[in-house]
Amino acid sequence: MREQAQLGGVGTSARRPDGPAKVRGEFTYAGDLAAEGMLVGVTLRSPHPHARITRIDTAAARALPGVHAVLTADDVPGDLHFGLTLRDEPVLADGVVRYAGEPVAVVAAVDAATAGRAARAVEVDYEPLPALTDPQLSLTAEPLHPDGNVYRHVSYRCGDPDARGVVTVENTYRIGMQDPAFLAPEAGLAWPTPDGGVAIDVATQWLHSDQQQIGWATGLPPEKVHVRLAGVGGAFGGREDVTLQTHACLLALATGRPVKFEYTREESFLAHRQRHPGTIWLRHSADASGRIVSVEGRVLLDGGAYASTSPVVITNTVTLLQGPYRVDNGRFEGWSVRTNNPSCGAMRGFGVPQAAFAHEAQLDALAAALGMDPVEVRLHNALQRGDVATYGQRFDAPTPVREVLEGVRAVPLPQGPARNAPGGVGRSAEGGTVRRGVGYAVTIKNLAFSEGHVDESTAEVSLCDGHATVHTACAEVGQGFVTVAEQVARTVLGASTVEVTQPDTLIASAGSTSASRQTMASGTAVHRACLAVRDRLLGRVAREHGLDAAELTVADGVVCAAGQPLTTVAEAAPGRTFRATEHFQHPDTHPLGSPEARMYVGYGFSAQRAVVDVDVELGLVSVVQIASCQDVGTVINPTQLLGQIEGGIVQGMGLALMEEVVVADGRITNPDFQDYLIPTIIDAPEIVSTYVTDPQPGMPHGWKGVGEPPLCTAVPVVAAAVRAATGLALPAVPIKPEHIALGLGTPPTVTWTTPRPADPTLIGTVVLADEEVEDALGTMAEEGASPGR
């Protein structure tokens, strides 16, 4: 192990190859790109959330000195519409604007100041239309778009949904809109190529998706659209949709010059997708032992003006409402709908944080109603391998729900006061009003793409004189694939040095860097290519030495015969290059409701315990400690794994306590980091991280994705701890100071079918007769809601 650690192989804390340059400020991010003769692109955006465009006049803008092109929808040579799941969004507004910030025109000029003046000189007459900003009204309102207002309606049931135990707990939960808040705003540089095509270096998450959508807009075939990854400063799902890519390429083709875009922070908030805000109603019924008898749930997500991934996110939210628990009887339904609010799409967790916040609040309420320990209730209902999900899929891989829960419970509780009193370094809280709370949560997160989406990746690996080169289209957005790829090449090939080349579209697609999938998909493709290269190397050595290749192995950079050193990998075949290209595709999945019943490739499980201090008068919260135990398959890089868990926890803590895109009348009112608050290092708590290592079947080294579960669990666990400290229901996140100080929020409704226990501990319990129980979302259009597709 010591020697392997020196080589930086799998299982070691190998350092990131791009780490030193980033620490020293020498790394080239997309915003640092430049080219000779470069023009600067600027976007003119709608000030209205909903309006009809009655006139656009670009003559004054075109006449300005230094302006090389001004483009509107009429200038798009290819298909005007694009989108990740539905092609419902225009590249430039097509006569109607449907959200505040929608691109109307783009300009290329000699510098940013001239481009800005030209954009302001474009004359646009709008006829404002009523803005539909309430997602519930959208279900029955006049269509905002020819495709209708419902992106997707999901509905299914299992067992006997009307089955009841002795106690029923129900409540309605609300989740705010969260921004990915990556630190480097969108940027890219496009230029025309000699073959009549176009190339672009851009900070993105999915090169081939960009290539496809650029091709639609420009009318170019894929082979004439070359996309390369530029340096990415964070993503978290916000770079999965196309933003500036098509605009930059259209302007480059129109001007014959390189064109660069770099958004401001405010423009970045307007341009990219946020996490879906939503409303979730849940009703759990249980027997006296705490066993869940049935679950009913309804979800309404606001998808905003254009579809992006809304049809997929709603399915994740609804199908994972059961949480990591056995549920034999259930009824589930959900909608994602169109409004004139900002468009929402992919963000770390992809619909699961919303579900997790709601189902974990329900488990705590159920435990309180029964007078049981919250962890014991969870253990009592924990999924096990062999159980069947409410949507019919069997859990046929390790399902360590009990293990992660018991692992996190075993971590000692912190002693003594918090590092910072509630209120931060200003210490605005007084000790006499501070209460400590402890909460638990456990979650399930699907890994990789689902519902029949082809989930694949391709890798090309070469080896020459001990130096390996790895080429994929996998976008490195900070998750650490560049390190994993190096570790695999060192372990399998014994390579002394490894170079991971710039990802581009000259190799087949690696899919998106999202869904906790790239180690599984691209990592496995690299592993397979390395094995093929190693076999070719050993075949060559065997022939030269008159040996059977089956006798040869590679360990720590040395080729061994029958376990004895024969030669080094670097010296085995001087000057000869061995090369292989291999492909990986996950097992097939199928849409919800199909007879095959396999929607998801696999799952990850995570448990956390949060300890918080809360000033109950001021409503201020300090997170003291979060203990985490996560199902990780195997540990590939301990340092990177810890980084993913710590980062995910802090980002989830942000959604729980402070992060919210505030939208008023369809307009974002806090599009900057002064008013949109994110946790800093001062807010970050002590994080104690432990793991369950149960190898994932079918994966090299048993690895699995780990990037999203920490965030999914952090949201409900912080909320649970604040509830424990305050005694308040707190059914909405982010939990704001006024929610605590003023005691806002409706408590769960608890109904007993047998005499209630003498002393239930549920805070804010309301006991109602059966006939008094009403469906909290009964107005959610039982009729008239239809799928968009």
Coordinates of all heavy atoms in Angstrom, one line a residue, residues 485-529:
A485 N -8.9 9.4 -13.4 CA -8.4 8.9 -14.6 C -6.9 8.6 -14.5 O -6.4 7.5 -15.0 CB -8.6 9.8 -15.8
E486 N -6.2 9.5 -13.9 CA -4.7 9.3 -13.7 C -4.5 8.1 -12.7 O -3.6 7.2 -13.0 CB -4.1 10.5 -13.0 CG -3.9 11.7 -14.0 CD -3.0 12.7 -13.4 OE1 -2.6 12.6 -12.3 OE2 -2.8 13.7 -14.2
Q487 N -5.3 8.0 -11.7 CA -5.1 6.9 -10.7 C -5.4 5.5 -11.4 O -4.7 4.6 -11.1 CB -6.1 7.1 -9.5 CG -5.7 8.2 -8.7 CD -6.7 8.4 -7.5 OE1 -7.7 9.2 -7.6 NE2 -6.6 7.7 -6.5
V488 N -6.4 5.5 -12.2 CA -6.7 4.2 -12.9 C -5.5 3.8 -13.9 O -5.1 2.7 -13.9 CB -8.0 4.3 -13.7 CG1 -8.2 3.1 -14.6 CG2 -9.2 4.5 -12.8
A489 N -5.0 4.8 -14.6 CA -3.9 4.5 -15.6 C -2.7 4.1 -14.8 O -1.9 3.2 -15.3 CB -3.6 5.7 -16.4
R490 N -2.4 4.7 -13.7 CA -1.2 4.3 -12.9 C -1.4 2.8 -12.3 O -0.5 2.0 -12.3 CB -1.0 5.2 -11.7 CG -0.6 6.6 -12.1 CD -0.1 7.4 -10.9 NE 0.1 8.8 -11.3 CZ -0.7 9.8 -11.0 NH1 -1.7 9.6 -10.2 NH2 -0.4 11.0 -11.3
T491 N -2.6 2.5 -11.9 CA -2.9 1.2 -11.3 C -2.9 0.1 -12.3 O -2.2 -0.9 -12.1 CB -4.2 1.3 -10.5 OG1 -4.2 2.3 -9.5 CG2 -4.5 -0.1 -9.9
V492 N -3.6 0.3 -13.4 CA -3.7 -0.8 -14.4 C -2.5 -0.9 -15.2 O -2.0 -2.0 -15.5 CB -4.9 -0.5 -15.2 CG1 -5.1 -1.6 -16.3 CG2 -6.2 -0.5 -14.4
L493 N -1.9 0.2 -15.7 CA -0.8 0.2 -16.6 C 0.6 0.3 -15.9 O 1.6 0.0 -16.6 CB -0.9 1.4 -17.6 CG -2.1 1.3 -18.6 CD1 -2.2 2.6 -19.4 CD2 -2.0 0.1 -19.5
G494 N 0.6 0.7 -14.7 CA 1.9 1.0 -14.1 C 2.6 2.2 -14.7 O 3.8 2.3 -14.8
A495 N 1.8 3.1 -15.3 CA 2.4 4.2 -16.0 C 3.1 5.2 -15.0 O 2.7 5.4 -13.9 CB 1.3 5.0 -16.7
S496 N 4.3 5.6 -15.4 CA 5.1 6.5 -14.6 C 4.5 8.0 -14.6 O 4.5 8.7 -13.6 CB 6.5 6.6 -15.0 OG 6.6 6.9 -16.4
T497 N 4.0 8.4 -15.7 CA 3.3 9.7 -15.9 C 2.0 9.5 -16.7 O 2.0 8.6 -17.5 CB 4.2 10.7 -16.6 OG1 4.6 10.2 -17.9 CG2 5.5 11.0 -15.8
V498 N 1.1 10.3 -16.4 CA -0.2 10.2 -17.1 C -0.7 11.6 -17.4 O -0.6 12.5 -16.6 CB -1.3 9.6 -16.2 CG1 -2.6 9.4 -17.0 CG2 -0.9 8.2 -15.7
E499 N -1.1 11.8 -18.7 CA -1.6 13.1 -19.1 C -3.1 12.9 -19.5 O -3.4 12.0 -20.3 CB -0.8 13.6 -20.4 CG -1.4 14.8 -20.9 CD -0.8 15.2 -22.3 OE1 0.1 14.4 -22.8 OE2 -1.1 16.3 -22.8
V500 N -4.0 13.7 -18.9 CA -5.4 13.7 -19.3 C -5.6 14.8 -20.3 O -5.4 16.0 -19.8 CB -6.3 13.8 -18.1 CG1 -7.8 13.8 -18.5 CG2 -6.0 12.6 -17.1
T501 N -5.8 14.6 -21.5 CA -5.9 15.6 -22.5 C -7.2 16.4 -22.5 O -8.2 16.0 -21.8 CB -5.7 15.1 -23.9 OG1 -6.8 14.2 -24.2 CG2 -4.4 14.3 -24.1
Q502 N -7.2 17.5 -23.1 CA -8.4 18.4 -23.1 C -9.6 17.7 -23.7 O -9.5 17.2 -24.9 CB -8.1 19.7 -23.9 CG -9.2 20.7 -23.9 CD -8.9 21.9 -24.7 OE1 -8.2 21.9 -25.7 NE2 -9.4 23.1 -24.3
P503 N -10.7 17.6 -23.0 CA -11.9 16.9 -23.5 C -12.4 17.7 -24.7 O -12.4 19.0 -24.7 CB -12.9 17.0 -22.4 CG -12.0 17.1 -21.2 CD -10.8 18.0 -21.6
D504 N -12.9 17.0 -25.7 CA -13.5 17.7 -26.9 C -14.5 16.7 -27.6 O -14.6 15.6 -27.2 CB -12.4 18.2 -27.8 CG -11.6 17.1 -28.4 OD1 -12.0 15.9 -28.4 OD2 -10.4 17.4 -28.9
T505 N -15.0 17.2 -28.7 CA -16.0 16.4 -29.4 C -15.4 15.6 -30.5 O -16.1 15.0 -31.4 CB -17.1 17.3 -30.0 OG1 -16.5 18.4 -30.7 CG2 -18.0 17.8 -28.9
L506 N -14.0 15.5 -30.6 CA -13.4 14.6 -31.6 C -13.4 13.2 -31.1 O -13.1 12.3 -31.9 CB -11.9 15.1 -31.8 CG -11.8 16.5 -32.4 CD1 -10.3 16.8 -32.6 CD2 -12.5 16.6 -33.7
I507 N -13.8 12.9 -29.9 CA -14.1 11.6 -29.4 C -15.5 11.4 -29.1 O -16.2 12.4 -28.9 CB -13.2 11.2 -28.2 CG1 -13.2 9.8 -27.9 CG2 -13.5 12.1 -27.0 CD1 -12.1 9.4 -26.8
A508 N -16.0 10.2 -29.0 CA -17.5 10.0 -28.8 C -17.9 10.6 -27.4 O -17.1 10.8 -26.5 CB -17.8 8.5 -28.9
S509 N -19.2 10.8 -27.2 CA -19.7 11.4 -26.1 C -19.4 10.7 -24.8 O -19.4 9.5 -24.7 CB -21.2 11.6 -26.2 OG -21.8 12.2 -25.1
A510 N -19.2 11.5 -23.7 CA -19.1 10.9 -22.4 C -20.3 11.3 -21.6 O -20.4 11.0 -20.4 CB -17.8 11.5 -21.7
G511 N -21.3 11.8 -22.2 CA -22.5 12.3 -21.5 C -22.2 13.5 -20.6 O -21.1 14.1 -20.7
S512 N -23.1 13.8 -19.8 CA -23.0 15.0 -18.9 C -22.2 14.7 -17.7 O -22.3 13.6 -17.1 CB -24.4 15.5 -18.6 OG -24.3 16.5 -17.6
T513 N -21.5 15.7 -17.2 CA -20.9 15.6 -15.9 C -22.0 16.0 -14.9 O -22.1 17.1 -14.5 CB -19.6 16.4 -15.7 OG1 -18.7 16.0 -16.7 CG2 -19.1 16.4 -14.3
S514 N -22.8 15.0 -14.5 CA -23.9 15.3 -13.6 C -24.4 13.9 -13.2 O -23.9 12.9 -13.6 CB -25.0 16.0 -14.3 OG -25.5 15.3 -15.4
A515 N -25.4 13.9 -12.3 CA -26.0 12.7 -11.8 C -25.0 11.7 -11.2 O -25.3 10.5 -11.2 CB -26.7 12.0 -13.0
S516 N -24.0 12.2 -10.6 CA -23.0 11.4 -9.9 C -22.5 10.2 -10.8 O -22.4 9.1 -10.3 CB -23.6 10.8 -8.6 OG -24.0 11.9 -7.8
R517 N -22.3 10.4 -12.1 CA -22.1 9.3 -13.0 C -20.7 9.2 -13.6 O -20.5 8.2 -14.2 CB -23.2 9.5 -14.1 CG -23.0 10.7 -15.0 CD -24.0 10.8 -16.1 NE -23.7 9.8 -17.1 CZ -22.8 10.0 -18.1 NH1 -22.1 11.1 -18.1 NH2 -22.6 9.0 -19.0
Q518 N -19.9 10.2 -13.6 CA -18.7 10.2 -14.4 C -17.6 9.2 -14.0 O -16.9 8.6 -14.8 CB -18.1 11.6 -14.6 CG -18.8 12.5 -15.6 CD -18.8 12.0 -17.0 OE1 -18.4 10.9 -17.3 NE2 -19.2 12.9 -17.9
T519 N -17.5 8.9 -12.7 CA -16.6 7.9 -12.2 C -17.1 6.5 -12.7 O -16.3 5.7 -13.2 CB -16.4 7.9 -10.7 OG1 -15.7 9.1 -10.3 CG2 -15.6 6.7 -10.2
M520 N -18.4 6.3 -12.6 CA -18.9 5.1 -13.1 C -18.9 4.9 -14.6 O -18.5 3.8 -15.1 CB -20.4 4.9 -12.6 CG -20.6 4.9 -11.1 SD -22.2 4.3 -10.6 CE -23.2 5.6 -11.2
A521 N -19.2 6.0 -15.3 CA -19.2 5.9 -16.8 C -17.9 6.1 -17.4 O -17.3 5.1 -18.0 CB -20.2 6.9 -17.3
S522 N -17.3 7.3 -17.3 CA -16.0 7.5 -18.0 C -14.9 6.8 -17.2 O -13.9 6.4 -17.9 CB -15.8 9.0 -18.0 OG -16.7 9.7 -18.8
G523 N -15.0 6.7 -15.9 CA -14.0 6.0 -15.2 C -13.9 4.5 -15.6 O -12.8 3.9 -15.8
T524 N -15.0 3.9 -15.9 CA -15.1 2.5 -16.3 C -14.6 2.4 -17.8 O -13.8 1.4 -18.1 CB -16.5 1.9 -16.2 OG1 -16.9 2.0 -14.8 CG2 -16.5 0.5 -16.6
A525 N -14.9 3.4 -18.6 CA -14.4 3.4 -20.0 C -12.9 3.5 -20.0 O -12.2 2.8 -20.7 CB -15.0 4.5 -20.8
V526 N -12.3 4.3 -19.1 CA -10.9 4.5 -19.0 C -10.3 3.2 -18.5 O -9.2 2.7 -19.0 CB -10.5 5.6 -18.1 CG1 -9.0 5.6 -17.7 CG2 -10.9 7.0 -18.7
H527 N -10.9 2.6 -17.5 CA -10.4 1.3 -17.0 C -10.3 0.2 -18.0 O -9.3 -0.5 -18.2 CB -11.3 0.9 -15.8 CG -10.8 -0.3 -15.0 ND1 -11.2 -1.6 -15.3 CD2 -9.9 -0.4 -14.0 CE1 -10.6 -2.4 -14.5 NE2 -9.8 -1.7 -13.7
R528 N -11.4 0.1 -18.8 CA -11.4 -0.9 -19.9 C -10.3 -0.6 -20.9 O -9.7 -1.5 -21.4 CB -12.8 -0.9 -20.5 CG -13.9 -1.5 -19.6 CD -15.2 -1.5 -20.3 NE -16.2 -2.2 -19.5 CZ -17.5 -2.3 -19.8 NH1 -17.9 -1.9 -21.0 NH2 -18.3 -3.0 -19.0
A529 N -10.2 0.6 -21.3 CA -9.1 1.0 -22.3 C -7.7 0.7 -21.7 O -6.9 0.2 -22.5 CB -9.2 2.4 -22.7

